[in-house]
Amino acid sequence: MDINTKYTPKTWPDHAEQVTLEGKNKFVGIWIFICSDIVLFASVFATYLALKDSGPSGMDITAKELFGLELAFVMTMLLLTSSLTSVYAMYHMKNFNSKGVLIWMGITVLLGLGFLGLEIYEFYEYTVHEGFGFTHSAFSSAFYLLVGTHGLHVIIGLIWITGLIIRNAKRGLNLYNAPKFFAASIYWHFIDVVWVFIFTVVYLMGVLG
Amino acid sequence: MMKGLKKWRLFSLLAVMTVFLSACGEEYISTLRPAGAVGKEQFNLLLFSITIMALVVVVVSVLYIYAFFKFRRSRQGEDYMPKQVEGSHTLEVIWTVIPIVLLLILAVPTLISTYKLGDVAAMEHVDEDGNKTALTVDVTAKLYWWEFAYPDLGIVTAQELVVPTGEKVYFNLKAADVKHSFWIPSVGGKMDTNVENINKFYLVFDEESEGLKDGVFYGKCAELCGPSHALMDFKVKTLAPEAFDAWVASMQATEGQIASKDSTDLGEATFAASCLGCHAVSSVTGMPAGAAMGPNLTTFGDRSHIAGFLEFNKENLVSWIKDPEEYKPGNLMTGAYKVGNNNPDELSDEEISALADYIMSLSVEK
Amino acid sequence: MSSVAIGNKKGFGATLWDYLTTVDHKKLGNMYFFAGLLFFAIAGFEALLMRIQLMVPNNDFVSAGLFNELLTMHGTTMLFLAATPLLFGFMNWIVPLQIGARDVAFPFLNSLGFWLFFLGAVFLHLSFFMGGAPDAGWTSYASLSLYSPGHGIDFYVLGLQISGAGTLISGINFVVTIITMRAPGMTFMRMPLFTWTTLIVGALITFAFPPLTVALFFMLVDRMFGANFFDHTMGGNTIIYEHLFWIFGHPEVYILILPAFGLFSEIIPVFARKRLFGYSSMVFATILIGFLGFMVWAHHMFATGLGPTANAIFAVATMAIAVPTGMKVFNWILTIWGGSIKVTVPMIYALGFIPSFVAGGVTGVMQAVAPLDYQLHDSYFIVAHFHYVIVGGVVLGIFGATHFYWPIMTNRVLNEKLGFLTFWTFFIGFHLTFFIQHFLGLMGMPRRVFTYQGDQGWDLFNFISSIGALLMGLGVIFLVVNMLLSIKSKPLNTSDYWGDGRSLEWALKTPVPFYNFKQTPLIRGYDPYWIEKHEGNKEGMTYAEPVGDIHMPNGSILPLIMSIGMFIAAFGSLYHPDGVSWSVPVIILGIGITVACMIIRSFKDDLGFTVTKEEIIATEESLYGKGGNK
Amino acid sequence: MGHDTHIHEKSVAQHEFDRRKNAVEMRKQVVNFAIMILFTFIAFAVVVADFSPYFIKPFILLLAAVQVVLQLYAFMHMGEKHASHIGTINTFVWVGAIIAFTVFLCFLTIIWW
Ligand code: HEA
Ligand code: HEA
Ligand code: CUA
Ligand SMILES: [Cu+2]
């Protein structure tokens, strides 16, 4: 594959991200990685459920009292929307519109940053104002580790996508970077998938008690 | 006819296996010479499964040795080109179905026994007066020693479990520091003592331990728990029900027994000064199970071993008190007091000798 | 870039640099193999020390604390740092050849995987010199490992975390390679069994390592950053650790045994000169074993007190695994049935494997009988079981495959006489060591004891067992001598060394050029090379393309530097609980190095290089003389 | 590796057709997105509305499951037949999901006290 080949919208192949062997490898590779991440999150989730509300004798903070829904709702909306914007980016990639890819990826990053900001704010509130720090109890450790692992994925995703944007801002689309954008977008969707479970299991079911 | 023959083979195999296996090991520690209903049931499962497994191994080996000798290249000729067969559905089905059948046969007693041995409902049964009908022992495993409390009898002992024969004895198992596992090989299988919950199970002791080599069954810690895991042994004394009741009565009678600082006995006085903080000399302590810092020494004179594994004599006891670390690395008695002949706050040789005499005299049986 | 420097001798510095930067699957295969061998010797040596200590009752050859360290390091090293890398060595070497690929899917990650594994392993072993090795057993159960003072457990957690990341990366890499890079015509159902087992093992690694990562990470934050996952006074629960560990741990044992099954499935047909019997059922059984492997973890926890329902379910699920395994055993026997068996060194390993493994497998089924396992658990019976399956299965597989693939890997051959001598010493030693341990267990001897009192009826058997272990050590020494002698011997420059090769790798002439096949072969059926041979194809293979330019990946030093970054970060967090001021900066520095490498990597397009047709022809001639590979 | 890409110029008609196809597909994605948002709303709403937990818990879990399947098959293209090796990928994902689910279920039922 030649990185210098210049494409036009007309010569740009369908499924540009998968026409080269490297592209196929990236595509399959990111999926297998996601499979392993599924089990990773399952383990952390299972631990969270086992340790929910448990702490030293006399612990007074429970999920029911701790969690609010407003913030979780806003965060969910931000992340869901960012999923859609990255689909838009992929749409523009299909049409060989590299500007569109960059812009929509950029919006995705902004939404992701918003999500991350709210998450940090939430952690700050819990730690400082509620006295619910990481070492407070088994429950707090499990909570921060579960949500934090997701947050870490968000951070990695943001760095990755930002890197791609900076790196490819000037060179347009080609068969070398198309798979990279595509893999990053799949990864980003996966982050959203995990969040769907987090808001359901941690926040919604937490509020139910 | 065929069936009869097979059965006959199975039984003779079983018989040979029984004879062979039960010749193995010492009576007071071997799982192959079970001395209680639970152990017997597990031994029977062992025989049963080992028979099936022997059958499998024999069949595989015969097939394989036959194939190997028959189809050597030296016999087939250097240029012989075997037929390249792909497989055979009939054979596939046979060697899928037969193992499944064997495993189903094995699964039935497995399931029955699992539920049977896991059934501790009787622990909660009470008679008309509200007294528990079954004997329960609270076992607390601690770094390298065992505490046995009898909550319904109000007594505590350590290192040597005393139980009556002929009835189900129920156990509440718990660890005070790290995880251990409670195992009396010749009486029945083990169960872990966890730190966060209480495990329950039962054992049955059918034989009196009187006639055994040291007069006791051997118990082991079966979960790695630190440097002295290998030495975290305990002993089990099984008594006929009347003897057990007598033992309980004399244990209960030690209520209020205490070592006094003002005693004329140097051993007792030293003990009261240096040791009483951790070691009780009364079996009725009123402490919650697992709270004691060191083994209860009320029955020390009746022990067969020191610290669970050392031969019981004064020499060993003196050396133990002088330097427990030497015997059980990492134990929690080390460093709790000072040994030496210089300062008044150090235990001198004379004091230690007196101490040894004193604690060896503690007994409920003599 | 396209250096055709093969043939002309390189200086030491250049060779070293080559190995530090290589992404070639064959060189990485060598590196995995020799690193694995090194750790096998270390761990085996630790085993010998343990056996010497246990030779007689009340021995004081090693202290209690040291024994626990040896025990832990023996188990950990053998499983993670010896057996796994040795198998990875074969996977790296053979799988791309078997499927006709030029390299693996992600050569850069392949190298990263190796370096992470290796530096994690080195980190773990540094513990011996830096205040004590881990001492809570290879399982490192939470209550004891939280209690354990010093840094031993921290070394364990961090070392395994790093090398585990390497293993995970390599596992995913193999999966992708096998999915996307098979030569034209190589459908899934034409893949050789070793490739199949590698695929399934890759999947097992993909699914099993995350729970280990999570468990170790919980342990890490508990010990180093004050979290409370396993501290029961703070609401934590140590049983979670046990579950997570075994959700990983049980698949791990199949990660070890499945490749060995694959290797034997390659060896047996060659020396029986007969197609593998029941290929499709072998594939099916492999998949089934892999899948069921995830449903049985609690059989290691029968004595934990999960209650009869859990024990019953897991007991039955465990027994089920005997069925697919049995299918495999019978298929192997039926492969030699009606064949023409030549007893070579690889074959004798295969022949020794069958009864040994079956004996180990059936004791596994006995342990699956939950009520019986209350007696067997944590006794020497378990030690006997798993050494029977591991040594009798995995180690015999590795040794057999070493002899089998040595001609491809080194272009030399191992001495046959010495090979047989190795086999018999090791094999007899193995049965002597471990058969008798079944009885020790039944006679009430717990495992993981640093000593035992005399007169419990165990003295003689322990003595015999230790003698056996010494014999095994002798066997290993013979093997090492054989390898050293062989390296000095004359190159073979041949193909199909054993004469009855069936799968693709035997079509290649040795030494294998760095691009493997100069033309991608066309696969026309199962056992492609056998097919071509028996249709009288003089070319060796039918090819899918004319000789043309070959595109190959560039080497890179970055994987090594990235791994060093993780290594440095690990030191920072190791000393974090000591409250030293430099710990956090060092963590940041280490991670910074790694991230910087990633940024460099992503900001420099790595397009690989092209080997032109002329260069290929020149290489072939320098390797095989005029005419090249014919 | 490598020489598997040659440049192929589409006809105008083909090009126009592909663009339209992409646009239609994108509209479908927007609909999918709307459904997800709707589901999220419903999930939050039933919790806020304080129905019986016996109803809410399974219900919101179901909503979550549907959302996830939508994400996987719509946004992440798991349903696209011509994507490379998608069958194998599907197998892997579902096996992963089954394993994850088993772990989950066991922790919630038989192995926990
Ligand atoms: C390569 C490694 C390997 C392999 C392949 C196996 C295979 C099996 N193992 Fe083993 N096992 C270990 C490595 C391995 N194990 C290790 C390391 C431990 C200890 C960990 C620790 O605590 O440190 C362990 C512990 C262990 C335990 C826990 C014991 C305890 O601690 O209490 C159990 C319990 O069920 C078990 C069962 C099995 C079973 C049923 C199989 C089956 O897969 C075996 C199947 C094979 C056969 C059965 C033989 C061939 C079949 C036939 C010929 C068909 C006919 C057979 C029948 C009808 C029976 N193993
Ligand atoms: C791959 C796995 C594997 C392998 C191959 C082995 C191989 C061996 N193992 Fe090990 N073993 C385990 C995995 C393995 N083991 C595990 C997981 C445990 C449990 C740990 C725990 O409880 O936490 C264990 C525990 C264990 C115990 C139980 C300890 C205890 O519970 O107290 C014993 C005791 O006999 C033992 C012995 C041996 C012996 C004698 C060998 C022999 O086969 C070793 C043969 C090899 C050699 C002897 C090497 C010889 C090399 C040299 C002498 C140097 C050569 C010189 C040069 C290269 C120049 N092992
Ligand atoms: Cu207590 Cu081992
Ligand atoms: Cu297992």
Side-chain angles (χ1 to χ4, degrees):
Chain A
M1 156 199 52
D2 189 353
I3 190 176
N4 298 316
T5 313
K6 289 278 178 274
Y7 286 89
T8 66
K10 274 192 185 167
T11 57
W12 185 241
D14 292 344
H15 285 284
E17 73 282 352
Q18 288 168 33
V19 294
T20 62
L21 180 59
E22 286 80 358
K24 285 191 185 104
N25 285 345
K26 281 219 169 57
F27 177 68
V28 178
I30 191 75
W31 268 108
I32 305 297
F33 169 76
I34 284 173
C35 291
S36 109
D37 239 19
I38 291 175
V39 184
L40 182 104
F41 274 108
S43 311
V44 187
F45 258 110
T47 309
Y48 171 79
L49 286 179
L51 294 179
K52 187 181 160 217
D53 286 345
S54 79
S57 51
M59 182 179 81
D60 48 359
I61 303 180
T62 61
K64 195 170 178 146
E65 293 150 14
L66 186 70
F67 298 141
L69 287 184
E70 299 82 2
L71 206 59
F73 183 74
V74 178
M75 286 161 77
T76 308
M77 286 303 149
L78 285 177
L79 208 60
L80 273 180
T81 313
S82 80
S83 224
L84 181 74
T85 57
S86 79
V87 173
Y88 261 108
M90 289 308 102
Y91 165 68
H92 289 299
M93 192 167 95
K94 278 190 191 154
N95 286 338
F96 197 65
N97 173 357
S98 70
K99 235 224 198 95
V101 175
L102 294 178
I103 290 175
W104 284 104
M105 276 298 189
I107 297 177
T108 307
V109 169
L110 290 181
L111 289 168
L113 278 176
F115 173 87
L116 201 65
L118 288 183
E119 185 153 280
I120 292 172
Y121 167 74
E122 185 197 12
F123 281 9
Y124 176 79
E125 280 289 307
Y126 289 165
T127 314
V128 177
H129 292 139
E130 311 274 346
F132 186 69
F134 183 56
T135 56
H136 169 270
S137 60
F139 173 40
S140 79
S141 300
F143 167 76
Y144 286 111
L145 214 84
L146 172 58
V147 181
T149 307
H150 176 264
L152 186 71
H153 278 72
V154 174
I155 294 176
I156 294 172
L158 289 177
I159 296 178
W160 185 4
I161 297 178
T162 314
L164 282 178
I165 293 174
I166 296 175
R167 176 77 181 117
N168 294 302
K170 294 236 170 56
R171 35 157 94 182
L173 286 169
N174 56 35
L175 293 186
Y176 183 71
N177 59 22
K180 298 189 174 202
F181 277 114
F182 197 78
S185 100
I186 289 197
Y187 175 78
W188 191 257
H189 292 306
F190 176 68
I191 292 177
D192 209 4
V193 167
V194 175
W195 182 255
V196 170
F197 277 110
I198 292 189
F199 85 69
T200 307
V201 173
V202 176
Y203 292 97
L204 292 181
M205 292 177 46
V207 168
L208 289 176
Chain B
M1 175 59 208
M2 259 308 269
K3 237 181 161 180
L5 191 72
K6 273 217 183 101
K7 252 199 194 133
W8 170 84
R9 270 199 213 144
L10 204 75
F11 277 119
S12 57
L13 199 63
L14 228 133
V16 172
M17 213 85 83
T18 316
V19 172
F20 175 67
L21 285 181
S22 50
C24 275
E26 302 291 342
E27 207 179 345
Y28 50 87
I29 180 125
S30 176
T31 68
L32 300 172
R33 303 170 80 174
V38 175
K40 284 216 178 77
E41 177 151 355
Q42 286 159 340
F43 184 63
N44 290 339
L45 273 172
L46 176 74
L47 287 181
F48 184 62
S49 58
I50 227 173
T51 312
I52 295 182
M53 299 313 150
L55 208 76
V56 170
V57 172
V58 168
V59 168
V60 169
S61 305
V62 166
L63 280 176
Y64 150 82
I65 290 172
Y66 179 76
F68 173 57
F69 280 107
K70 179 111 188 278
F71 301 105
R72 297 283 288 269
R73 190 163 301 173
S74 44
R75 306 182 68 197
Q76 307 275 60
E78 199 52 43
D79 296 328
Y80 173 68
M81 181 53 62
K83 204 166 136 242
Q84 305 289 313
V85 267
E86 281 195 22
S88 152
H89 276 289
T90 331
L91 286 175
E92 299 280 357
V93 171
I94 292 177
W95 65 55
T96 312
V97 170
I98 292 181
I100 290 181
V101 171
L102 286 178
L103 291 173
L104 286 178
I105 295 175
L106 185 61
V108 174
T110 302
L111 295 186
I112 295 175
S113 289
T114 306
Y115 281 99
K116 188 170 150 199
L117 299 182
D119 179 14
V120 289
M123 260 174 120
E124 305 304 326
H125 287 182
V126 285
D127 60 17
E128 293 101 55
D129 311 330
N131 293 324
K132 292 266 171 69
T133 49
L135 176 65
T136 302
V137 182
D138 289 348
V139 176
T140 310
K142 303 195 177 193
L143 279 167
Y144 319 131
W145 65 281
W146 299 84
E147 182 183 282
F148 305 107
Y150 301 72
D152 306 318
L153 307 174
I155 56 178
V156 177
T157 185
Q159 308 289 40
E160 277 195 21
L161 172 67
V162 180
V163 282
T165 54
E167 60 174 288
K168 283 186 179 173
V169 180
Y170 290 84
F171 293 91
N172 284 315
L173 306 168
K174 192 169 177 4
D177 29 49
V178 306
K179 184 181 167 112
H180 308 265
S181 189
F182 176 79
W183 186 27
I184 311 168
S186 51
V187 176
K190 63 188 71 62
M191 188 113 174
D192 289 354
T193 61
N194 295 327
V195 290
E196 56 272 284
N197 73 309
I198 292 175
N199 274 338
K200 298 171 195 296
F201 83 148
Y202 72 85
L203 290 172
V204 182
F205 303 81
D206 282 343
E207 268 170 45
E208 282 171 52
S209 57
E210 188 74 62
L212 299 172
K213 196 186 83 182
D214 298 318
V216 286
F217 290 105
Y218 280 27
K220 298 271 166 190
C221 173
E223 183 70 53
L224 182 61
C225 52
S228 287
H229 159 63
L231 305 174
M232 190 170 159
D233 291 6
F234 60 96
K235 302 290 180 281
V236 185
K237 201 176 274 179
T238 55
L239 303 174
E242 312 80 55
F244 179 73
D245 290 341
W247 179 79
V248 170
S250 50
M251 286 295 270
Q252 283 166 339
T254 63
E255 180 159 14
Q257 185 173 305
I258 185 99
S260 157
K261 268 190 191 149
D262 311 323
S263 168
T264 49
D265 181 274
L266 176 63
E268 184 178 341
T270 318
F271 190 87
S274 304
C275 320
L276 200 56
C278 297
H279 293 287
V281 290
S282 158
S283 175
V284 186
T285 61
M287 269 195 272
M293 302 266 289
N296 191 303
L297 295 182
T298 315
T299 60
F300 189 80
D302 307 330
R303 301 261 160 93
S304 61
H305 293 78
I306 299 166
F309 76 103
L310 287 171
E311 199 186 324
F312 191 86
N313 57 39
K314 186 174 169 193
E315 200 182 328
N316 274 345
L317 181 55
V318 167
S319 321
W320 163 262
I321 298 172
K322 272 195 180 144
D323 188 9
E325 194 67 12
E326 159 107 27
Y327 294 93
K328 275 193 177 178
N331 84 82
L332 298 182
M333 174 157 141
T334 303
Y337 51 88
K338 289 205 193 94
V339 177
N341 290 320
N342 310 321
N343 285 320
D345 65 336
E346 290 174 340
L347 294 178
S348 66
D349 285 349
E350 187 196 359
E351 283 169 324
I352 291 179
S353 170
L355 263 178
D357 287 334
Y358 168 70
I359 42 182
M360 283 177 93
S361 73
L362 296 169
S363 162
V364 296
E365 288 175 23
K366 282 165 203 154
Chain C
M1 194 62 228
S2 53
S3 58
V4 195
I6 308 171
N8 7 341
K9 270 252 180 281
K10 274 191 263 179
F12 174 74
T15 312
L16 182 68
W17 180 252
D18 186 28
Y19 267 88
L20 294 181
T21 59
T22 189
V23 296
D24 180 347
H25 71 96
K26 297 179 285 299
K27 288 187 184 143
L28 284 164
N30 285 339
M31 285 149 78
Y32 267 119
F33 186 81
F34 286 104
L37 205 61
L38 170 72
F39 289 118
F40 182 78
I42 295 176
F45 183 64
E46 285 156 359
L48 290 185
L49 295 182
M50 288 197 294
R51 277 314 333 163
I52 293 174
Q53 163 72 11
L54 293 175
M55 201 169 214
V56 291
N58 281 320
N59 202 356
D60 59 359
F61 177 70
V62 297
S63 71
L66 180 59
F67 185 91
N68 285 356
E69 295 179 0
L70 292 175
L71 157 79
T72 306
M73 289 301 280
H74 164 71
T76 312
T77 307
M78 277 292 187
L79 291 176
F80 293 99
L81 313 178
T84 314
L86 282 166
L87 293 168
F88 271 22
F90 290 117
M91 292 179 189
N92 259 305
W93 248 105
I94 303 303
V95 167
L97 304 185
Q98 279 193 332
I99 61 175
R102 298 242 176 271
D103 207 316
V104 292
F106 306 109
F108 181 88
L109 289 185
N110 201 14
S111 152
L112 179 62
F114 171 80
W115 287 114
L116 282 173
F117 141 71
F118 187 71
L119 286 177
V122 170
F123 184 82
L124 185 58
H125 277 83
L126 282 182
S127 62
F128 273 120
F129 312 103
M130 300 179 64
D135 57 359
W138 84 282
T139 51
S140 213
Y141 273 9
S143 59
L144 179 61
S145 53
L146 284 188
Y147 182 86
S148 173
H151 284 307
I153 304 296
D154 304 336
F155 275 107
Y156 171 92
V157 168
L158 292 161
L160 282 194
Q161 198 73 284
I162 295 175
S163 76
T167 308
L168 181 59
I169 289 174
S170 310
I172 294 180
N173 202 346
F174 284 125
V175 173
V176 180
T177 306
I178 296 172
I179 293 178
T180 65
M181 308 217 352
R182 283 163 289 137
M186 169 87 61
T187 58
F188 274 117
M189 290 313 276
R190 285 178 182 174
M191 285 186 341
L193 260 180
F194 183 56
T195 301
W196 256 113
T197 50
T198 304
L199 175 64
I200 301 303
V201 162
L204 290 185
I205 291 175
T206 307
F207 295 129
F209 268 70
L212 176 71
T213 309
V214 168
L216 291 178
F217 194 72
F218 288 168
M219 177 74 72
L220 188 152
V221 288
D222 261 19
R223 277 186 67 99
M224 292 166 224
F225 298 93
N228 305 304
F229 289 98
F230 307 129
D231 180 353
H232 68 284
T233 58
M234 297 296 281
N237 192 309
T238 59
I239 312 295
I240 293 177
Y241 180 89
E242 292 181 27
H243 281 300
L244 292 177
F245 186 86
W246 289 119
I247 291 172
F248 149 78
H250 187 80
E252 163 71 14
V253 305
Y254 293 118
I255 291 173
L256 297 180
I257 198 67
L258 286 179
F261 285 175
L263 291 169
F264 286 124
S265 305
E266 301 294 321
I267 294 174
I268 292 174
V270 168
F271 298 108
R273 200 177 269 172
K274 186 158 161 285
R275 186 191 151 108
L276 184 66
F277 193 86
Y279 170 78
S280 41
S281 74
M282 286 297 244
V283 170
F284 172 72
T286 309
I287 297 174
L288 200 61
I289 293 174
F291 185 76
L292 285 178
F294 281 96
M295 308 293 153
V296 301
W297 74 85
H299 68 210
H300 295 274
M301 299 167 64
F302 283 148
T304 301
L306 301 175
T309 309
N311 283 2
I313 291 175
F314 280 101
V316 174
T318 304
M319 289 178 191
I321 297 190
V323 176
T325 318
M327 283 158 77
K328 283 184 160 275
V329 171
F330 292 115
N331 275 320
W332 285 317
I333 294 179
L334 261 284
T335 305
I336 59 176
W337 193 284
S340 162
I341 305 163
K342 184 173 179 191
V343 185
T344 56
V345 181
M347 191 61 173
I348 191 96
Y349 278 104
L351 294 171
F353 151 79
I354 293 177
S356 311
F357 179 78
V358 170
V362 294
T363 54
V365 178
M366 291 169 67
Q367 287 159 199
V369 178
L372 177 54
D373 188 60
Y374 301 157
Q375 283 286 21
L376 305 179
H377 176 70
D378 264 339
S379 76
Y380 258 80
F381 193 90
I382 308 296
V383 177
H385 155 69
F386 67 74
H387 284 94
Y388 255 79
V389 277
I390 291 182
V391 180
V394 185
V395 176
L396 290 188
I398 289 169
F399 286 5
T402 304
H403 289 85
F404 187 56
Y405 284 124
W406 199 252
I408 293 189
M409 289 165 61
T410 63
N411 196 25
R412 308 283 192 287
V413 65
L414 287 169
N415 182 302
E416 179 147 25
K417 282 220 180 69
L418 204 47
F420 278 115
L421 182 65
T422 308
F423 173 79
W424 286 113
T425 347
F426 191 80
F427 192 71
I428 293 173
F430 153 59
H431 283 282
L432 209 55
T433 313
F434 297 116
F435 185 70
I436 215 136
Q437 289 185 355
H438 292 110
F439 297 97
L440 280 175
L442 293 175
M443 281 152 51
M445 179 162 168
R447 63 190 276 207
R448 295 170 163 179
V449 291
F450 80 95
T451 189
Y452 52 94
Q453 309 300 306
D455 280 342
Q456 297 184 87
W458 308 337
D459 308 3
L460 177 66
F461 283 11
N462 268 306
F463 188 78
I464 296 176
S465 179
S466 297
I467 297 293
L470 295 175
L471 269 182
M472 289 168 93
L474 202 61
V476 176
I477 290 175
F478 289 153
L479 180 67
V480 171
V481 170
N482 200 349
M483 288 177 176
L484 293 177
L485 289 179
S486 145
I487 298 290
K488 294 261 167 249
S489 69
K490 238 177 64 228
L492 291 172
N493 292 336
T494 175
S495 63
D496 195 10
Y497 176 77
W498 301 104
D500 284 317
R502 311 178 69 91
S503 42
L504 213 45
E505 71 271 26
W506 299 108
L508 276 166
K509 235 184 182 174
T510 56
V512 183
F514 65 98
Y515 46 76
N516 302 347
F517 288 92
K518 72 175 189 288
Q519 297 152 273
T520 306
L522 180 71
I523 311 303
R524 301 196 296 145
Y526 178 62
D527 281 344
Y529 181 53
W530 179 266
I531 293 178
E532 305 289 344
K533 243 191 318 194
H534 286 260
E535 291 184 359
N537 184 342
K538 289 275 168 322
E539 283 268 316
M541 284 303 299
T542 308
Y543 295 105
E545 55 177 18
V547 181
D549 294 356
I550 293 175
H551 180 245
M552 295 298 292
N554 285 329
S556 169
I557 189 73
L558 291 178
L560 175 58
I561 301 180
M562 284 169 77
S563 309
I564 291 176
M566 295 314 291
F567 188 82
I568 294 173
F571 269 106
S573 62
L574 183 78
Y575 287 103
H576 186 73
D578 294 357
V580 290
S581 58
W582 47 266
S583 72
V584 174
V586 169
I587 296 178
I588 293 173
L589 172 75
I591 294 180
I593 292 177
T594 307
V595 172
C597 288
M598 284 157 100
I599 292 174
I600 294 174
R601 164 86 181 154
S602 71
F603 272 61
K604 213 177 103 236
D605 286 337
D606 181 13
L607 300 171
F609 62 95
T610 303
V611 192
T612 62
K613 196 171 160 182
E614 294 70 44
E615 285 169 325
I616 296 169
I617 293 169
T619 312
E620 300 264 318
E621 289 197 347
S622 75
L623 288 179
Y624 317 117
K626 271 262 168 294
N629 189 357
K630 266 275 157 62
Chain D
M1 283 185 186
H3 38 194
D4 40 9
T5 49
H6 39 239
I7 298 210
H8 161 84
E9 174 136 3
K10 293 178 193 167
S11 68
V12 178
Q14 178 75 37
H15 180 58
E16 285 303 313
F17 175 77
D18 283 348
R19 282 193 84 95
R20 257 199 314 279
K21 198 182 71 195
N22 290 343
V24 170
E25 215 165 87
M26 190 61 224
R27 257 196 302 282
K28 267 197 213 141
Q29 299 285 37
V30 177
V31 174
N32 286 328
F33 174 71
I35 297 175
M36 288 186 216
I37 294 284
L38 182 69
F39 277 19
T40 311
F41 258 109
I42 298 176
F44 276 90
V46 291
V47 173
V48 174
D50 222 8
F51 290 110
S52 146
Y54 293 102
F55 162 71
I56 299 180
K57 280 188 181 171
F59 182 66
I60 59 178
L61 281 176
L62 185 74
L63 288 184
V66 176
Q67 276 212 48
V68 164
V69 171
L70 265 183
Q71 282 264 4
L72 289 175
Y73 281 89
F75 286 3
M76 295 166 84
H77 316 287
M78 251 172 72
E80 257 175 49
K81 295 251 163 33
H82 46 262
S84 53
H85 307 286
I86 197 72
T88 318
I89 290 175
N90 264 286
T91 315
F92 265 82
V93 171
W94 286 114
V95 169
I98 291 172
I99 291 169
F101 186 69
T102 313
V103 172
F104 228 75
L105 201 67
C106 283
F107 265 64
L108 287 177
T109 55
I110 54 173
I111 59 174
W112 219 247
W113 43 72

